[in-house]
Amino acid sequence: MKSVISLAAVSLAAVLVALTNPGDAAESPTSYPTKPVTIIVPFAPGGPTDTVARTIGAVMSKSLGQQILVENVGGAGGTIGVGRAVAAPADGYTVLLMHIGISTAPSLYRTLKYDVTNDLEPIGLVAEVPMTLVAKKDLAPANLRDFVTYVKANKTKMSYAHSGVGSASHLCGMLFMSAIETDVLTVPYKGTQPAMTDLLGGQVDFMCDQSTNTTSQIKADKIKVYGVTSKARLGSLPNVPTMDEAGMKGFNIGVWHGLWTPKNTPKIINEKLNKALQDALKDKDVIERMAALGTAPEPVTRQTPEALRAHLVGEIAKWAPIIKNAGVYAD
Ligand code: ASP
């Protein structure tokens, strides 16, 4: 009996120590952040989404007074990384940077285990990046019209690289193939950086990728480019026609990016993250770097939780019928 009492006394003492030890106490949201913050990027390192995260991350880090770490969680068109963010503790130390794919995945994946409109807290829109239709250097066609003819004639021999069902490159390729009514073999990667390596090596024939990943390769003349998916030409690539100019009317895709935290992250933490995001998006170096890569920060009015929430809902509704029509899905 005695030993039981003393054991109980020891456990009670341990509980009291745990409760009073400030190191073990839950952090108050007002003191956030007291340690490094991780941004989850649902694609491979060195690719376009990663580039956007690292570009804003440097200034967000200064603004928050803490280091920002980028964790690349690639696979399944970004859905694995988004799932990781959804399941992370809602303490502000895990932030998600994802793009347009977050709005197409609900229509593409029949077994998605989360609800992107409910399970994440929006922080703000970041930047909209156009895509470029690019091909390996030694492909013969010199312009989009000839390229389309070439793809149709060689469809059984050609391959298209993308970052998995639900990625921006997948969406763009799906729309392109449906526009020319020709399907070719598709090859999935964990991001378009590894896909770019294979395009440069000639192992795959073509892909769509954000200008944040293709600009330097286009300028160095290492790949062919047939068009950019923005409505107007890019200042950074003035000689590249829009897809519309090149002959594909209305082929516009803007890869918008947003920042989220897991559901139930305290409001005060989300506000601090939003301020850090806004600080980054008005930073001169960030603006210059984005311009050099064919993009720009979203206007201030869109760098808000309300704007991102509304945009996401609108995009899910916009893509659902298009995807349904295309008959594409994944499990
Ligand atoms: N460009 C990729 C995509 O297709 C994403 C990435 O690799 O960052 O969505």
Side-chain angles (χ1 to χ4, degrees), residues 75-207:
T79 56
I80 294 175
V82 175
R84 176 80 68 85
V86 164
D91 57 7
Y93 292 102
T94 304
V95 177
L96 169 72
L97 180 94
M98 184 45 181
H99 62 31
I100 190 170
I102 200 166
S103 66
T104 57
S107 304
L108 287 164
Y109 285 80
R110 295 185 294 195
T111 53
L112 212 57
K113 292 195 175 56
Y114 48 79
D115 173 357
V116 292
T117 55
N118 240 324
D119 298 343
L120 292 165
E121 310 275 355
I123 303 296
L125 280 152
V126 179
E128 187 166 303
V129 183
M131 301 203 94
T132 47
L133 178 63
V134 293
K136 64 183 183 188
K137 174 98 172 84
D138 60 4
L139 218 62
N143 57 51
L144 182 63
R145 284 179 205 278
D146 292 350
F147 179 64
V148 169
T149 309
Y150 183 90
V151 175
K152 283 175 178 264
N154 294 283
K155 63 180 179 194
T156 55
K157 291 182 234 148
M158 298 200 69
S159 54
Y160 177 84
H162 65 84
S163 300
V165 175
S167 63
S169 46
H170 173 259
L171 176 70
C172 183
M174 190 176 84
L175 295 177
F176 176 74
M177 288 181 221
S178 130
I180 67 170
E181 295 174 338
T182 306
D183 285 328
V184 305
L185 175 76
T186 60
V187 186
Y189 292 79
K190 284 193 175 175
T192 38
Q193 182 53 27
M196 176 62 81
T197 304
D198 277 5
L199 190 74
L200 291 166
Q203 284 91 355
V204 286
D205 294 310
F206 69 112
M207 70 172 173

Side-chain angles (χ1 to χ4, degrees), residues 195-231:
M196 176 62 81
T197 304
D198 277 5
L199 190 74
L200 291 166
Q203 284 91 355
V204 286
D205 294 310
F206 69 112
M207 70 172 173
C208 283
D209 196 13
Q210 285 102 301
S211 60
T212 30
N213 203 35
T214 57
T215 302
S216 58
Q217 310 293 1
I218 293 169
K219 284 191 161 166
D221 205 19
K222 291 193 173 150
I223 50 177
K224 279 223 158 79
V225 57
Y226 295 119
V228 59
T229 66
S230 47
K231 288 194 175 130

